[in-house]
Amino acid sequence: MRCPALATLALTSALSMPPVKRRRSPRLRAVAEGGGSNNGGGGVAFATSAMLLVSAHRTLFSAAMPELQASLGFDSKTVGALQAAYLAGYGLTNGAGGAAADRVGGARVLALGLLVWSGLVALTPAAASLGVTALALCRFGFGVASGPALPASLAVVSSQPDADSRAKGIATVLCGFNVGSTAGLLSAAALLTLLGWRTLSVVAGGLGAVVALYALTQSSEQTTAVQTTKKPIKFTKSFPFQLAALTHVHNCINWSFFVMQAWLPTYFASELGLDMKASALFSALPFATMALGSLVSGSVSSSLLQRMAPFEVRKRMVALSSVVPACALLALSYVKSPTVALGLLVTALGAHSFSSAGLHAHVTDVAPQASGRILGFTNTVGVVVGIVANVATGRVLDATGSFKAVFALTAAIYLSEVVAFFGFVRDGPLVEGDS
């Protein structure tokens, strides 16, 4: 068929596009790429802020959905369609956004995406007033604009000078993402009551736009010279096999995260009998632990790197981030106390967050020139897997009537992650010419 052939050609072209080397002032390198001796954390700080905002903006819409349903008369089928529109757009631009980030700079792609998706968040009330189709298009556009956020952020981190800096940078960026989710869940009820969802959308979108415009202004004021091209990136012979193994690992991470994110409130309400307010609070706390865990993983990795090779550290982080959650979820199947269940989920997602110092850091170690496009590709597949995970969870719940089988399946997927990384992922550069 022509479509699969064209898709394969597009993927190969995107992964092989050469990055463009620009001559910049030291300050611009610090702000736009996250490197440079003057301000090594400048780019990481911006990437962290952008990831916090994309997570908060995403959570805002979900938190406002009951009010949208009440005021606009949306049924569950419409809600599902709106969420699917976002995911369709998000999955569409992960790979292309990652390739663009490697080519022109992660911070520039991130700032442009932040400006567009913030504008769409601010326009969401206007779109809703025009009807479901306009709102679905707005959500699709939000997904398209925010799709490059993760690979672009990791492209920023890849410019850090050593494995220690990259591990800390990734941990900080993903901490920002988890803080955004947690803050959105914890503050949404009060802010929605105080401002209403329409005003809150405009305010949140406006804040993101201000941050984006500031970042773009800083870059445009300091960019100096003309582009010079480099040879196209040439991957090693082992790259296809390694990409397949890394994709499986990323799929496992996304499966478990999407299931936890979507179904924890339902679990606390239906399985343990909590009311919706308590369910929301209990669901937010494990994600708050993920934010802390991301930072801790960076510090732990930094300590281990003083006496171990980077790949050995990455393997330990992957083992911790998969085996501990698997054991916690298997134990969760037999728990009836909400407090004990919360403790196990805090343990599971706190350990899960160490994956940032495992898979993501490994990619920046072995392919710093192409980390954006590689993680863009693996996350694109991971988004599809996340959709499948939610569908599968719903069907398992319908068939069994409890979360026991859901937790057992998710635990098995966690364990397949560590098997894949230890069994098939290898150390060494994936781009020819990298040292």
Side-chain angles (χ1 to χ4, degrees):
M1 298 288 291
R2 294 178 62 187
C3 288
L6 289 173
T8 302
L9 178 60
L11 172 60
T12 304
S13 300
L15 288 173
S16 301
M17 286 175 66
V20 174
K21 187 175 181 180
R22 295 172 180 266
R23 182 161 52 87
R24 295 185 177 98
S25 68
R27 185 183 172 198
L28 179 60
R29 283 195 299 270
V31 173
E33 296 176 359
S37 59
N38 295 336
N39 183 11
V44 172
F46 168 61
T48 302
S49 300
M51 289 297 286
L52 187 153
L53 286 167
V54 74
S55 181
H57 286 161
R58 183 192 301 180
T59 305
L60 168 63
F61 186 79
S62 298
M65 186 52 67
E67 188 176 342
L68 267 76
Q69 287 184 274
S71 61
L72 301 175
F74 291 163
D75 56 18
S76 297
K77 183 178 179 180
T78 301
V79 172
L82 291 172
Q83 298 289 19
Y86 158 72
L87 288 173
Y90 180 79
L92 190 65
T93 54
N94 265 256
D102 288 334
R103 183 176 175 82
V104 303
R108 178 161 297 179
V109 171
L110 193 57
L112 287 170
L114 175 58
L115 180 62
V116 175
W117 89 59
S118 296
L120 289 170
V121 169
L123 290 173
T124 298
S129 67
L130 296 175
V132 174
T133 301
L135 183 56
L137 288 173
C138 187
R139 295 300 298 165
F140 177 78
F142 174 78
V144 169
S146 61
L150 176 62
S153 295
L154 296 180
V156 170
V157 174
S158 292
S159 66
Q160 295 296 299
D162 52 52
D164 186 10
S165 300
R166 289 192 292 269
K168 288 181 178 178
I170 291 171
T172 303
V173 166
L174 294 183
C175 175
F177 178 80
N178 290 317
V179 165
S181 296
T182 305
L185 286 169
L186 292 177
S187 64
L191 290 175
L192 286 169
T193 301
L194 179 65
L195 301 176
W197 78 270
R198 290 178 173 83
T199 302
L200 184 56
S201 293
V202 174
V203 171
L207 176 62
V210 168
V211 174
L213 287 171
Y214 175 77
L216 289 170
T217 301
Q218 291 297 106
S219 295
S220 64
E221 286 178 352
Q222 298 168 63
T223 302
T224 53
V226 186
Q227 300 178 4
T228 60
T229 60
K230 294 178 69 175
K231 292 181 180 179
I233 284 178
K234 186 176 182 181
F235 292 104
T236 61
K237 292 182 180 179
S238 65
F239 175 73
F241 181 79
Q242 289 299 295
L243 181 63
L246 293 170
T247 300
H248 177 79
V249 173
H250 206 151
N251 288 345
C252 295
I253 293 171
N254 277 27
W255 178 291
S256 51
F257 178 79
F258 274 96
V259 168
M260 295 295 108
Q261 185 182 54
W263 292 94
L264 282 191
T266 302
Y267 164 71
F268 281 118
S270 65
E271 197 93 348
L272 301 181
L274 299 183
D275 59 35
M276 291 308 295
K277 184 177 180 180
S279 295
L281 176 61
F282 272 50
S283 299
L285 290 176
F287 289 99
T289 308
M290 285 190 73
L292 177 61
S294 295
L295 288 180
V296 172
S297 71
S299 298
V300 171
S301 294
S302 178
S303 177
L304 292 176
L305 285 167
Q306 302 302 315
R307 57 183 185 275
M308 291 182 186
F311 187 57
E312 294 303 313
V313 176
R314 308 315 180 206
K315 287 167 68 176
R316 283 160 174 76
M317 295 298 102
V318 168
L320 179 63
S321 68
S322 54
V323 174
V324 172
C327 293
L329 289 181
L330 290 174
L332 195 63
S333 301
Y334 302 96
V335 167
K336 297 301 180 184
S337 165
T339 303
V340 175
L342 178 62
L344 288 171
L345 285 166
V346 163
T347 300
L349 288 179
H352 174 104
S353 66
F354 277 63
S355 61
S356 63
L359 168 71
H360 301 86
H362 171 72
V363 173
T364 64
D365 288 341
V366 298
Q369 294 183 14
S371 60
R373 65 195 74 186
I374 291 173
L375 286 166
F377 171 75
T378 61
N379 199 44
T380 298
V381 180
V383 169
V384 177
V385 168
I387 296 171
V388 173
N390 278 295
V391 173
T393 298
R395 292 187 176 183
V396 170
L397 286 174
D398 284 343
T400 64
S402 80
F403 276 84
K404 187 173 183 178
V406 172
F407 292 147
L409 175 60
T410 306
I413 289 170
Y414 266 125
L415 293 176
S416 76
E417 174 189 340
V418 71
V419 169
F421 198 92
F422 276 70
F424 302 105
V425 175
R426 297 290 179 263
D427 195 10
L430 296 181
V431 176
E432 292 188 3
D434 280 355
S435 57

